[in-house]
Amino acid sequence: MRKLQFTSNCEKHDHDLSSNDCHVTQEYVADLLSKELGQYGFQTLSQSGDQVAVSVDNQSLPLSVTCQSHDAEGHLVCEITSYPDEDQDWLERITEQSLLNQLAQAVENTLKQDDAFSGFKWKG
């Protein structure tokens, strides 16, 4: 499991600011990743809400995007989590770990292109 924590300036995303709710950012991130990860060789599969399913070389790599807490400036702190299959032999695990590293870079590079996102930090 890997988590990319970053802050999001929700005001730059198109939604009703009077509600003071940045839930749209979660869908915005999922949609952005679905559209952009293809340029890094990853195929995105059908998504539901904040879920983005990704595959490459017949390897499935599910991602979950969660935007919950706010920092001191009121920006959203989001996490992207991947859930690899734990019941693999060592060769499959090494292959998947390599793909996860490539996917992590692709996710980070994609989000860094949007100036509403900042403070990227990997955890786990």
Side-chain angles (χ1 to χ4, degrees):
M1 179 169 66
R2 299 197 61 192
K3 293 182 181 182
L4 175 62
Q5 188 173 27
F6 57 98
T7 55
S8 171
N9 184 351
C10 312
E11 296 172 2
K12 295 192 177 190
H13 300 131
D14 185 25
H15 57 82
D16 182 11
L17 293 176
S18 64
S19 68
N20 198 25
D21 184 4
C22 294
H23 71 276
V24 170
T25 298
Q26 198 165 312
E27 294 172 15
Y28 176 87
V29 170
D31 190 52
L32 179 67
L33 292 175
S34 293
K35 290 177 182 173
E36 300 297 326
L37 287 177
Q39 71 182 349
Y40 296 96
F42 292 95
Q43 177 185 8
T44 55
L45 309 171
S46 61
Q47 69 177 43
S48 166
D50 67 348
Q51 300 294 314
V52 180
V54 179
S55 69
V56 62
D57 296 335
N58 297 321
Q59 295 273 345
S60 180
L61 302 171
L63 293 176
S64 174
V65 180
T66 309
C67 302
Q68 298 177 12
S69 57
H70 292 79
D71 66 6
E73 289 92 44
H75 293 171
L76 204 59
V77 178
C78 302
E79 291 181 338
I80 296 175
T81 310
S82 64
Y83 298 95
D85 182 7
E86 298 296 329
D87 299 325
Q88 298 171 318
D89 66 31
W90 65 271
L91 184 57
E92 288 177 333
R93 194 172 289 237
I94 290 171
T95 300
E96 185 163 285
Q97 191 60 47
S98 175
L99 290 173
L100 279 172
N101 289 338
Q102 293 173 39
L103 179 58
Q105 280 302 120
V107 166
E108 184 173 358
N109 291 339
T110 297
L111 294 175
K112 281 184 174 178
Q113 293 174 14
D114 189 319
D115 63 1
F117 303 123
S118 63
F120 294 88
K121 183 176 181 180
W122 282 102
K123 296 182 172 199

